[in-house]
């Protein structure tokens, strides 16, 4: 047992200084640099690139995450941090940078005992899941706030994570003491006795010392504040902690889920569906960050009731939306006037097809230099990542649907692939890639020359298209071709 004077010699200031100066100086320095850059709008972009340039591992992590399904939105790959910052914005890249540095700093901690390492990994997995949940809860708010909430949730337990990662004798002793505790109240008393402070106060001390945003400071000092961002951070962390338990109390889980559903103004079952989809996205993002070790420890969504699985994994069904169609057609018209670049035109067109026409997935395929195959360039919707990597069409079959579309320079509506009209065009390879309920294609034309193909289907929801929807698809693709012709000066 420590003496009273030993306890007093430690406390929040002691641990904050030790973690910042001795145990995690690289992370502390990176965070302070990034926070300083955030206040300097003019030079922040160039300085951000310079501040991470010398760290190859960090740069490659940032680019992997920037190109992941969570952030890429199906657009073409970014290959430099500067380009990623232009595409995603400074705040997003800063937070990706902090997350990458935090994960590598903690995961690469050396000399930890097995029990302490297990505590650290489980805590980090919980924090990572909470960050994704909090961001998901604010999906109707602007991206800047979503990113702030993500990083604040991730760092909500920074004090505790940092303490376990230093692998000190105190960490081993505290772990052993906590093992014999019977409830969280007893655990908190043991922590206060051995550290001279609580983990929450330590997180707050580090957050203040490192200059980590107001959202994190408020969430730690006033977790009961009713603003959407603080509420989402609190509930996401509570729900993650409950789901991480072996046998969570159903009534406690239900209580927190009900609070979150009420905040979002949706039914609890709808929330559960979003949470399982969020859980799947979390696994992919952890891998993109090079933190595969966390995947096995992420809170298990099975506690959200097994009978929901079918409903949860049901695809998002986008119904035709004339308001979105009109908005995106106006944007394309503006592109024609301003001579917008290729990526901007294609992205707006595909967003109009996806959300306005109401398809499950769509994309643009470009002809290879020898014009013998079509390769995906941009894809949006359900399974966009898979489509980008696998949807390659060879153009050497005797009866080739896509060849005819290129030759005739005409859109085609394959309303029923097994009908006599289309059956001979559908070999096994094409059947495996396209939708059994039909699909739509249209040529991508610049200067009278076909350079690729627009494609759209409703594969995941297995719905059929009607003629009016094909006409709307054609309208978008023809206007996109006009925009690209204008940009090329024709």
């Amino acid at each position: 047992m420590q003496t009273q004077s030993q306890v007093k010699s430690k406390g929040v200031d002691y641990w904050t200084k030790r973690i910042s100066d001795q145990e995690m100086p690289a992370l502390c320095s990176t965070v302070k640099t990034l926070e300083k850059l955030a206040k300097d709008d003019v030079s922040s972009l160039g300085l951000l690139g310079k501040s991470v340039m010398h760290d190859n591992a960090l740069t490659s992590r940032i680019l992997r995450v920037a190109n992941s399904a969570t952030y890429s939105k199906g657009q073409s790959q970014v290959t430099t941090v500067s380009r990623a910052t232009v595409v995603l914005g400074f705040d997003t890249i800063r937070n990706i940078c902090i997350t990458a540095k935090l994960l590598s700093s903690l995961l690469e901690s050396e000399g930890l005992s097995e029990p302490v390492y297990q505590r650290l990994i489980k805590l980090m997995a919980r924090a990572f899941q909470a960050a994704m949940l909090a961001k998901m809860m604010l999906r109707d708010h602007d991206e800047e706030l979503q990113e702030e909430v993500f990083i604040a949730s991730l760092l909500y337990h920074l004090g505790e994570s940092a303490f376990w990662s230093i692998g000190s004798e105190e960490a081993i002793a505290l772990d052993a003491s906590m093992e014999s505790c019977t409830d969280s109240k007893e655990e908190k008393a043991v922590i206060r006795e051995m550290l001279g402070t609580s983990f929450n106060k330590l997180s707050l001390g580090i957050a203040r010392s490192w200059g980590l945003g107001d959202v994190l400071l408020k969430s730690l000092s006033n977790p009961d504040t009713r603003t959407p961002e603080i509420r989402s951070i609190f509930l996401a962390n509570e729900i993650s902690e409950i789901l991480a338990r072996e046998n969570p109390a159903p009534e406690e889980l239900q209580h927190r889920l009900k609070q979150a559903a009420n905040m979002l103004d949706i039914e609890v079952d709808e929330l559960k569906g979003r949470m399982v989809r969020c859980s799947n996205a979390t696994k992919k993002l952890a891998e993109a960050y090079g933190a595969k070790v966390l995947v096995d420890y992420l809170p298990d969504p099975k506690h959200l009731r097994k009978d929901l699985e079918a409903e949860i994994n049901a695809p998002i069904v986008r119904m035709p939306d004339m308001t979105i169609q009109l908005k995106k057609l106006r944007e394309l018209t503006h592109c024609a006037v301003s001579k917008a670049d290729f990526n901007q035109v294609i992205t707006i067109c595909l967003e109009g097809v996806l959300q306005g026409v109401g398809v499950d997935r769509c994309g643009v395929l470009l002809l290879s230099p020898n014009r013998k195959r079509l390769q995906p360039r941009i894809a949006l919707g359900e399974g966009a990542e898979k489509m980008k990597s696998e949807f390659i069409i060879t153009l050497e079959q005797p009866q080739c649907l896509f060849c005819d579309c290129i030759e005739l320079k005409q859109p085609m509506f394959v309303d029923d692939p097994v009908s006599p009209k289309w059956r001979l065009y559908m070999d096994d390879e094409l059947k495996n890639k396209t939708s059994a309920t039909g699909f739509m294609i249209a040529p991508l034309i610049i200067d009278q020359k076909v350079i690729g193909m627009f494609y759209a289907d409703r594969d995941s929801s297995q719905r059929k298209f009607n003629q009016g929807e094909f006409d709307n698809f054609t309208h978008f693709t023809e206007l996109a071709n006009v925009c690209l012709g204008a940009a090329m000066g024709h």
Side-chain angles (χ1 to χ4, degrees):
M1 183 67 67
Q2 290 178 306
T3 66
Q4 198 64 27
S5 63
Q6 281 177 305
V7 171
K8 280 182 181 169
S9 72
K10 294 193 178 170
V12 69
D13 292 338
Y14 166 83
W15 288 109
T16 298
K17 191 164 173 44
R18 177 168 164 184
I19 286 164
S20 304
D21 298 348
Q22 296 172 40
E23 308 293 351
M24 305 178 86
L27 177 61
C28 173
S29 168
T30 300
V31 169
K32 283 183 174 177
T33 302
L34 291 167
E35 292 301 331
K36 202 187 294 175
L37 291 182
K39 295 175 179 70
D40 179 5
D41 293 341
V42 181
S43 54
S44 59
L45 184 61
L47 290 170
L48 175 67
K50 282 180 188 160
S51 69
V52 300
M53 206 185 296
H54 62 278
D55 189 334
N56 291 334
L58 180 59
T59 301
S60 66
R61 271 197 175 113
I62 291 169
L63 293 175
R64 254 204 326 270
V65 174
N67 288 310
S68 70
T70 301
Y71 289 102
S72 78
K73 297 169 187 167
Q75 294 179 24
S76 52
Q77 288 221 325
V78 292
T79 52
T80 66
V81 172
S82 298
R83 179 65 189 152
T85 312
V86 170
V87 173
L88 296 176
F90 177 80
D91 289 330
T92 299
I93 293 298
R94 180 191 61 185
N95 287 343
I96 290 174
C97 201
I98 290 173
T99 305
K101 198 73 180 170
L102 175 78
L103 291 171
S104 61
S105 296
L106 296 177
L107 289 172
E108 289 159 19
S109 305
E110 293 176 355
L112 303 189
S113 69
E114 188 56 30
V116 168
Y117 179 71
Q118 286 296 312
R119 268 194 197 277
L120 176 62
I121 292 293
K122 286 174 184 173
L123 182 63
M124 288 173 67
R126 248 174 47 208
F128 200 66
Q129 181 64 78
M132 287 291 277
L133 276 178
K135 184 177 176 178
M136 177 272 286
M137 285 185 204
L138 294 188
R139 69 182 196 181
D140 293 332
H141 292 69
D142 64 60
E143 286 185 11
E144 193 177 327
L145 187 64
Q146 289 179 39
E147 284 304 318
E148 279 187 66
V149 159
F150 176 92
I151 206 77
S153 296
L154 185 74
L155 301 176
Y156 197 67
H157 296 287
L158 178 59
E160 186 177 354
S161 303
F163 175 78
W164 295 124
S165 76
I166 63 181
S168 60
E169 288 175 17
E170 293 100 327
I172 294 168
L174 180 57
D175 171 69
S177 297
M178 285 173 70
E179 275 301 311
S180 58
C181 293
T182 53
D183 58 33
S184 61
K185 198 173 175 184
E186 202 179 328
E187 278 188 353
K188 284 174 183 172
V190 167
I191 293 162
R192 264 195 307 273
E193 187 181 340
M194 295 190 75
L195 270 67
T197 186
S198 67
F199 280 140
N200 179 271
K201 284 183 177 163
L202 179 53
S203 294
L204 194 53
I206 295 173
R208 282 188 179 129
S209 170
W210 294 9
L212 286 162
D214 289 342
V215 174
L216 177 59
L217 292 173
K218 280 180 195 162
S219 67
L220 289 167
S221 55
N222 298 301
D224 295 327
T225 306
R226 308 299 288 189
T227 58
E229 60 271 28
I230 305 303
R231 195 80 185 127
S232 66
I233 293 164
F234 172 75
L235 287 170
N237 273 281
E238 288 291 308
I239 290 168
S240 282
E241 196 273 321
I242 294 167
L243 289 175
R245 293 179 207 157
E246 197 72 39
N247 294 299
E251 63 281 0
E252 189 184 357
L253 177 59
Q254 194 63 20
H255 171 63
R256 292 302 186 197
L257 292 176
K258 187 88 180 83
Q259 287 180 318
N262 287 344
M263 183 185 110
L264 299 175
D265 197 21
I266 58 175
E267 294 297 319
V268 171
D269 278 0
E270 164 68 11
L271 173 68
K272 289 177 178 178
R274 291 185 189 183
M275 284 173 64
V276 171
R277 281 194 288 271
C278 179
S279 177
N280 295 334
T282 305
K283 288 175 187 169
K284 289 177 183 167
L285 191 62
E287 288 173 0
Y289 271 111
K292 268 189 183 172
V293 67
L294 297 184
V295 172
D296 291 338
Y297 295 93
L298 290 170
D300 196 335
K302 74 181 178 191
H303 301 305
L304 298 171
R305 241 183 44 229
K306 288 246 168 51
D307 61 353
L308 255 179
E309 289 288 9
E311 178 193 327
I312 282 159
N313 291 322
I316 296 167
V317 176
R318 297 176 187 85
M319 301 307 290
D321 187 322
M322 297 309 291
T323 306
I324 294 177
Q325 280 191 46
L326 188 58
K327 179 175 179 277
K328 292 297 174 184
L329 288 169
R330 280 178 181 151
E331 286 178 26
L332 280 176
T333 304
H334 179 69
C335 285
V337 175
S338 63
K339 299 187 177 179
D341 67 22
F342 180 88
N343 279 353
Q344 194 179 352
V345 170
I346 295 303
T347 301
I348 292 170
C349 174
L350 291 179
E351 284 172 350
V353 170
L354 183 74
Q355 299 159 6
V357 179
V359 307
D360 293 347
R361 62 175 181 171
C362 56
V364 156
L365 318 169
L366 295 184
L367 277 163
S368 60
N370 64 8
R371 300 179 75 80
K372 289 190 175 174
R373 64 180 188 165
L374 286 159
Q375 296 169 288
R377 169 68 181 273
I378 298 175
L380 299 182
E382 304 299 291
E385 283 302 302
K386 190 178 179 191
M387 188 177 182
K388 273 175 76 177
S389 60
E390 297 178 10
F391 207 96
I392 295 165
I393 307 287
T394 55
L395 303 173
E396 300 182 84
Q397 308 91 314
Q399 286 191 286
C400 174
L401 180 72
F402 286 80
C403 295
D404 283 5
C405 183
I406 293 167
E407 189 77 27
L408 299 168
K409 296 183 182 175
Q410 290 293 324
M412 291 186 172
F413 177 21
V414 182
D415 54 347
D416 182 3
V418 296
S419 68
K421 182 180 178 183
W422 301 113
R423 195 174 56 231
L424 295 174
Y425 284 99
M426 302 296 296
D427 61 12
D428 288 342
E429 185 190 0
L430 201 53
K431 280 179 192 167
N432 287 337
K433 290 191 173 81
T434 57
S435 171
T437 55
F439 56 92
M440 307 182 291
I441 57 175
L444 171 56
I445 303 170
I446 296 181
D447 191 21
Q448 304 298 310
K449 185 178 181 182
V450 177
I451 65 158
M453 193 77 60
F454 295 94
Y455 175 91
D457 68 23
R458 287 174 171 162
D459 187 50
S460 52
S461 64
Q462 294 292 291
R463 295 173 295 150
K464 285 183 170 290
F465 290 111
N466 60 38
Q467 183 62 41
E469 288 159 350
F470 174 60
D471 293 342
N472 292 335
F473 167 76
T474 303
H475 189 174
F476 271 104
T477 59
E478 286 176 346
L479 187 50
N481 285 338
V482 170
C483 294
L484 295 172
M488 298 294 288
H490 300 292

